[in-house]
Amino acid sequence: MSSALLESMGLGYLDIGYILLGLTGITLFLFILLLVLLIVQMKKLSRLNKRIDKFMGGKDAKSLEKEIIGIFEDNNFLKAAAEKNKRDIRKIFHNMECTYQKCGIVKYDAFRQMGGKMSFCLALLNKRNSGFLINSVHSSDGCYTYTKEIREGKCSIALGDEEEQALQMAIGEKD
């Protein structure tokens, strides 16, 4: 069977049955390829749907959006709280430098006659070893209390043995 169209194209020697058979084979190949691609895409879509269902957790899109906005607001609140805590901690550390953190106390018998070591010397110092000494001397006719200022571990007034001992005890404490 010859075709005028094939003759005009210079392909008159080809049988139209072979051409139809070739086109049928190509169509069948493309159909199988399309079917395989469709199955692969359906599998991917199924996995994606499972992930979306797990992510959504039974919520609709609007409630999920509200939840995400809530999480961002909570995050901003936590950041602000953390910054406030940092400022407060810095302020506390600054204030702690001025507080009396170190102490030394020595009890003694001022006049060697009374007994019971009723007299004492108390040294209170801050981080920079500045503060004061309180010396309380107890005798048979009364109790007398004296204070001496300490700056950077030194006193401008001469210290007694007990006062020096209390001062060194306070300075010796670890920071």
Side-chain angles (χ1 to χ4, degrees):
M1 177 189 290
S2 70
S3 165
L5 180 64
L6 289 175
E7 291 282 334
S8 66
M9 290 176 31
L11 299 173
Y13 58 90
L14 288 176
D15 188 7
I16 197 154
Y18 290 128
I19 293 175
L20 288 176
L21 190 63
L23 288 176
T24 304
I26 291 173
T27 306
L28 187 60
F29 172 75
L30 290 176
F31 178 74
I32 291 172
L33 182 64
L34 183 63
L35 192 61
V36 168
L37 289 175
L38 183 65
I39 290 171
V40 168
Q41 290 302 319
M42 286 176 62
K43 202 70 158 151
K44 285 183 179 180
L45 184 62
S46 173
R47 275 190 251 136
L48 183 61
N49 280 335
K50 286 179 185 175
R51 289 177 62 194
I52 287 174
D53 287 343
K54 184 177 180 181
F55 177 71
M56 297 296 273
K59 299 181 185 281
D60 62 350
K62 287 189 178 189
S63 65
L64 184 62
E65 182 180 355
K66 287 178 187 175
E67 294 244 354
I68 291 172
I69 289 171
I71 289 171
F72 278 117
E73 288 173 356
D74 290 348
N75 191 21
N76 290 336
F77 173 76
L78 291 174
K79 283 181 182 177
E83 284 301 317
K84 182 185 179 306
N85 288 343
K86 284 180 186 177
R87 286 191 306 272
D88 291 346
I89 289 170
R90 278 191 222 108
K91 185 177 179 181
I92 289 169
F93 275 122
H94 176 72
N95 290 344
M96 286 295 292
E97 289 180 358
C98 302
T99 62
Y100 297 115
Q101 304 171 17
K102 304 174 184 181
C103 71
I105 187 164
V106 175
K107 291 181 74 172
Y108 63 98
D109 199 6
F111 298 105
R112 312 273 187 252
Q113 64 200 14
M114 300 224 14
K117 295 186 177 183
M118 300 296 285
S119 300
F120 69 90
C121 182
L122 173 66
L124 292 174
L125 304 176
N126 65 13
K127 185 177 183 178
R128 296 185 183 111
N129 290 329
S130 296
F132 60 91
L133 280 168
I134 296 176
N135 192 355
S136 178
V137 180
H138 187 76
S139 68
S140 58
D141 59 316
C143 183
Y144 303 96
T145 304
Y146 307 95
T147 62
K148 294 181 181 177
E149 184 179 16
I150 306 296
R151 290 197 180 188
E152 297 178 0
K154 307 250 188 279
C155 183
S156 60
I157 303 172
L159 298 177
D161 291 341
E162 293 84 7
E163 293 171 329
E164 184 66 38
Q165 190 178 354
L167 179 61
Q168 292 308 315
M169 190 183 296
I171 289 174
E173 284 191 15
K174 301 290 182 209
D175 292 331

